[in-house]
Amino acid sequence: MEPRSAGQLFEAARTGDSAAWNELVDRMSPAIWAAGRAYALSEAETADVFQHVWLRLVEHRDRISEPEAVPGWIRTTARREALRLRQLADRSVEPPSEDIGSLDPGPPDEVVSASTDRLLLDALRRLGDRCRELLWMLFFVPDVSYDSISADLDMPVGAIGPTRSRCLAQLRADPAVQGLWSDV
């Protein structure tokens, strides 16, 4: 028996098949978590995105006329909610952690590092969704496999390397980050 598509699983779940619902959640969850990682959300914030996406899908289940479009709907909803939470987090100012001095890098190093991190995160946000998610997964998600990236981003394994190269070129071309690296 051939595996069911996400659209077929959605159709079955919509009619009350809880096993299909569970399989749909299992299949699409990595894409939602990838959206949270792409926007540098905390685990708790990403869990909020996860809950938001599934709640919205349940709320809109009777209005979805093209079940095969559900994976794209889930990814888009996850990205939009992750972006919304990221923008809210960027507006809030949190007091510094008491652990900031524990590594004692010294004020100049700390300022330079924070400034560089902010420039890179801002440049990553300016990239398209696909590049941002790919680079985030490659460089910030520990022990991620190409197979996992392929499944999460719906990208052939053979396209990951060339896409990474194009995305890094876009990142290097961003005027805000030019000059940060001499050998990247």
Side-chain angles (χ1 to χ4, degrees):
M1 183 166 132
E2 195 169 314
R4 295 188 284 184
S5 71
Q8 291 168 327
L9 290 171
F10 174 72
E11 275 295 319
R14 185 160 47 181
T15 62
D17 183 344
S18 62
W21 180 257
N22 291 335
E23 189 176 340
L24 181 63
V25 170
D26 289 344
R27 186 174 302 173
M28 295 306 303
S29 292
I32 298 169
W33 287 94
R37 290 188 301 266
Y39 284 94
L41 298 180
S42 69
E43 189 172 333
E45 290 167 324
T46 303
D48 288 344
V49 170
F50 184 86
Q51 184 177 9
H52 174 86
V53 168
W54 294 113
L55 177 63
R56 293 293 169 256
L57 184 60
V58 168
E59 289 174 346
H60 295 282
R61 70 182 175 271
D62 294 329
R63 289 182 243 162
I64 295 176
S65 60
E66 294 182 40
E68 292 304 321
V70 166
W73 186 94
I74 289 171
R75 285 185 186 93
T76 299
T77 303
R79 282 192 294 263
R80 287 179 180 163
E81 181 63 10
L83 175 60
R84 186 185 74 75
L85 287 178
R86 175 79 271 148
Q87 289 171 336
L88 285 173
D90 287 347
R91 283 188 220 138
S92 68
V93 177
E94 293 188 22
S97 163
E98 290 182 24
D99 294 329
I100 271 184
S102 64
L103 297 178
D104 198 27
D109 291 343
E110 186 177 289
V111 168
V112 169
S113 177
S115 175
T116 301
D117 290 350
R118 174 55 52 198
L119 287 172
L120 285 173
L121 284 173
D122 289 345
L124 276 170
R125 285 189 192 108
R126 285 188 292 274
L127 292 176
D129 290 340
R130 194 158 182 86
C131 279
R132 180 177 47 253
E133 290 173 4
L134 175 63
L135 293 179
W136 188 264
M137 290 182 79
L138 285 168
F139 297 107
F140 298 104
V141 177
D143 303 321
V144 69
S145 70
Y146 269 34
D147 289 333
S148 175
I149 292 171
S150 174
D152 285 357
L153 300 181
D154 194 27
M155 175 186 296
V157 170
I160 293 173
T163 304
R164 177 193 61 220
S165 294
R166 286 190 298 276
C167 294
L168 285 173
Q170 287 177 25
L171 188 62
R172 279 189 215 103
D174 188 307
V177 297
Q178 286 182 352
L180 287 180
W181 307 282
S182 56
D183 61 345
V184 178

